[in-house]
Amino acid sequence: MTDAITSPAGLTPDEGERVEAAASAGTFIGRRDGSVAVWKGIRYAEAPVGPLRWRAPRPAPAAAEPVTALAFGNASPQELVPEMHLGEGVALSEDCLFLNVWSPSASLPSNSDPAPARPVMVWIHGGAYTYGAASQPVYDGAALASIGDVVIVTVNYRLGALGYLDLTSFATDTEQFDSNLALRDVLLALEWVRDNIAAFGGDPDAVTVFGESAGAGMITALLATPSAEGLFHRAIAESSPASSMYGPARSKLVAEHFLAEARMGEGPIGEVRSMPVSAIVEAATRVYSSVPSESPGLLAFAPVVDGDLLPEHPITVLHQGRGLPVPLIIGTNHDEATLFKFMKSPLMPITPAAITTMMQRLASENPDAVLPSREQLLGAYEGVRSRAVGLGIARDIGFRMPTVWLVEGHSTIAPTYLYRFDWATPMLRLIGMAAAHATELPYVWGNLDSNRRDYTFALGGRRTGEEISDRMTQWWTSFAATGTPGSEWPSYDADRASLVIDRTDRVEHDLDAGLRKGWGDAVLSFT
């Protein structure tokens, strides 16, 4: 492989300075933007269409001619929602397996002046396993790459039914299907990074995977995926729904539900490969909403504990300290569930009836676990207004407790850093969102102005927000470079240290003592 960057001549003034990265996958033409060079829309896999729909991804062949990589690739088909702007001019298509690279200009290697390789951070976006794209403005990697002197990679992968529907139980001699398609997409993207990132100034031996929400769920799944070993060396999981992954029995029920919604009837299963993609999205959207409405606490689409690629439930593996032994930052936000209430989303069980149904299901699916009594559980929420207790329970069963269960085990095999994001601007507190799910994202990325319609700072808090962003970008990129976020943030270890991120940060020991007492010793997951 030739690790070389050159600047082609003959550009028109509005195109700016372009740069070429010569890698084993081909030569890619990007653009230099100030102190950062960026390549967008690099194909890492063949289009997963036709006979490749619901099959494992295949690596894209090396490009014979230089590839212009100046625009984001397609996003995975999905129902468009106003709360999630995918980026200007971004199209939806099954042909969506693309990635993007931001690299500090000073890191770009050349034949005459080789530069030291920079740490690499690979982002897996969230969106309830159904929405989102790497092209979302908040994920623009220019600020993070420049501030942290790291190479940033963002990845598109298949979503919803196209990425998570498990049709393996319907396979025939002539029609084969693979499980965990989205997880396989991410693994293939990581293989691309391993084989090509040096041409963009990155160090393939210093790769950090990081993600939020469903992306963080993918991170915790990767930590329990044996074939992921060696593809990354550190991990960051922001608000991981780590317990919301299911086995083949439940995935088959979801598949049957999908086929019924798609009106497939008793026809040959192979007909699913000729369905219009719009029909797949429409059926998947109905399943996405109906599953958690009928079975509170469950998601329709998520990684599948298939006994193959993902042999065991990540919660079990990580709680027992058997995951990939890489350093880990993991945490949640103080008010995770308020976003779901604000959006009227069915994903989080907030009402007393939904919570009761969820707890009954957990009891039936975890027969060997001793679940807390109602009195014991409510004891964890003393002092919480009665109408907010449901939000607290939903937050903790969905995000905080799985994180606590996970760190208890992972901290025994690798340095582990736990946080809770508590900061909320006056406006977010006024409307009842506070430190809701995903509100940490602009601070992590250093992109406080990515959404022009955002009212987060309408009532103040901008200066504090900038200071928090400065700290978070430094912690995240320092971790990517060294495996530690800094001396002011101690690892979890025996004293259960947690960093509380707020206007003034603080380290607390056994921050979750009350929750652990209220929820008891049971480690719970849906199966």
Side-chain angles (χ1 to χ4, degrees):
M1 178 175 66
T2 302
D3 298 337
I5 300 288
T6 60
S7 297
L11 302 175
T12 59
D14 62 331
E15 290 178 323
E17 182 185 5
R18 297 194 188 183
V19 288
E20 288 185 358
S24 61
T27 296
F28 301 95
I29 302 173
R31 177 182 287 120
R32 197 184 303 270
D33 182 10
S35 62
V36 174
V38 57
W39 294 260
K40 297 178 179 178
I42 296 176
R43 180 185 297 278
Y44 68 88
E46 293 182 15
V49 300
L52 295 185
R53 181 187 278 179
W54 287 304
R55 296 305 308 267
R58 295 181 181 177
E65 300 294 332
V67 176
T68 300
L70 300 177
F72 287 117
N74 303 320
S76 181
Q78 58 195 271
E79 180 188 39
L80 295 177
V81 293
E83 298 85 1
M84 190 169 288
H85 178 49
L86 301 184
E88 295 297 333
V90 174
L92 302 181
S93 172
E94 280 189 87
D95 183 10
C96 63
L97 302 183
F98 298 91
L99 55 78
N100 317 290
V101 181
W102 286 261
S103 181
S105 294
S107 74
L108 302 182
S110 68
N111 292 332
S112 60
D113 183 22
R118 264 56 172 186
V120 180
M121 299 182 71
V122 180
W123 175 253
I124 313 301
H125 71 79
Y129 300 112
T130 300
Y131 302 102
S135 53
Q136 290 173 241
V138 71
Y139 305 143
D140 185 289
L144 198 57
S146 178
I147 293 168
D149 197 28
V150 295
V151 174
I152 301 294
V153 179
T154 61
V155 178
N156 275 357
Y157 56 98
R158 285 174 280 183
L159 301 174
L162 293 168
Y164 295 96
L165 190 67
D166 182 5
L167 294 171
T168 55
S169 59
F170 298 90
T172 67
D173 291 340
T174 57
E175 296 291 346
Q176 296 296 308
F177 301 92
D178 294 306
S179 60
N180 279 315
L181 302 165
L183 189 59
R184 294 178 193 274
D185 292 345
V186 170
L187 287 167
L188 185 59
L190 289 172
E191 292 177 8
W192 188 98
V193 168
R194 177 195 62 198
D195 297 339
N196 294 278
I197 204 62
F200 299 82
D203 183 353
D205 294 320
V207 174
T208 297
V209 289
F210 69 133
E212 182 268 344
S213 191
M218 296 285 274
I219 300 302
T220 48
L222 285 171
L223 288 168
T225 301
S227 60
E229 185 173 8
L231 293 178
F232 62 95
H233 312 91
R234 300 171 186 96
I236 303 174
E238 305 168 27
S239 303
S240 172
S243 59
S244 297
M245 301 178 194
Y246 318 117
R250 188 170 316 277
S251 68
K252 183 178 181 181
L253 290 175
V254 171
E256 290 172 343
H257 192 164
F258 170 84
L259 293 174
E261 289 288 349
R263 299 179 181 176
M264 287 296 299
E266 299 298 325
I269 189 63
E271 291 182 1
V272 296
R273 291 203 164 96
S274 60
M275 286 179 63
V277 70
S278 59
I280 293 174
V281 172
E282 290 169 3
T285 300
R286 292 192 293 270
V287 174
Y288 167 89
S289 297
S290 62
V291 166
S293 298
E294 297 167 2
S295 302
L298 297 182
L299 302 179
F301 303 114
V304 176
V305 183
D306 57 9
D308 177 23
L309 186 72
L310 190 59
E312 299 178 74
H313 201 297
I315 280 290
T316 301
V317 173
L318 299 175
H319 179 68
Q320 295 178 1
R322 295 189 287 111
L324 301 182
V326 302
L328 172 67
I329 287 177
I330 189 167
T332 64
N333 294 357
H334 188 277
D335 306 289
E336 295 277 3
T338 56
L339 174 68
F340 302 91
K341 179 182 179 181
F342 191 82
M343 294 177 63
K344 297 181 173 59
S345 169
L347 296 187
M348 296 292 283
I350 294 171
T351 66
I355 290 172
T356 298
T357 300
M358 177 189 67
M359 295 303 293
Q360 291 172 344
R361 183 179 297 276
L362 281 169
S364 67
E365 295 184 6
N366 296 266
D368 297 330
V370 179
L371 269 67
S373 65
R374 176 182 175 84
E375 293 73 21
Q376 178 183 345
L377 180 60
L378 292 178
Y381 303 94
E382 290 181 349
V384 177
R385 291 179 300 173
S386 58
R387 64 181 181 179
V389 169
L391 288 170
I393 293 175
R395 170 198 65 201
D396 296 330
I397 193 59
F399 298 102
R400 190 63 185 182
M401 290 311 300
T403 293
V404 170
W405 298 327
L406 189 156
V407 299
E408 291 283 351
H410 197 73
S411 62
T412 65
I413 62 170
T416 302
Y417 302 88
L418 178 62
Y419 75 86
R420 192 181 72 195
F421 183 81
D422 283 17
W423 163 249
T425 65
M427 174 58 85
L428 292 183
R429 292 191 182 280
L430 177 66
I431 65 174
M433 289 270 286
H437 188 68
T439 54
E440 88 286 359
L441 286 173
Y443 304 94
V444 166
W445 285 89
N447 292 331
L448 300 187
D449 299 311
S450 60
N451 184 351
R452 296 177 182 176
R453 299 180 181 178
D454 189 11
Y455 45 76
T456 297
F457 298 105
L459 296 179
R462 174 73 187 214
R463 179 176 297 179
T464 299
E466 291 173 346
E467 293 171 351
I468 290 173
S469 182
D470 288 345
R471 298 197 299 272
M472 294 190 76
T473 56
Q474 290 296 329
W475 288 326
W476 264 233
T477 57
S478 173
F479 179 77
T482 67
T484 174
S487 59
E488 68 271 32
W489 186 346
S491 58
Y492 187 74
D493 298 332
D495 58 2
R496 297 190 170 99
S498 299
L499 179 70
V500 178
I501 302 171
D502 206 338
R503 180 187 299 271
T504 300
D505 305 321
R506 67 184 189 275
V507 173
E508 289 201 16
H509 298 285
D510 210 357
L511 174 67
D512 301 294
L515 287 180
R516 290 191 300 103
K517 180 180 179 181
W519 283 90
D521 295 328
V523 177
L524 307 174
S525 63
F526 292 108
T527 58

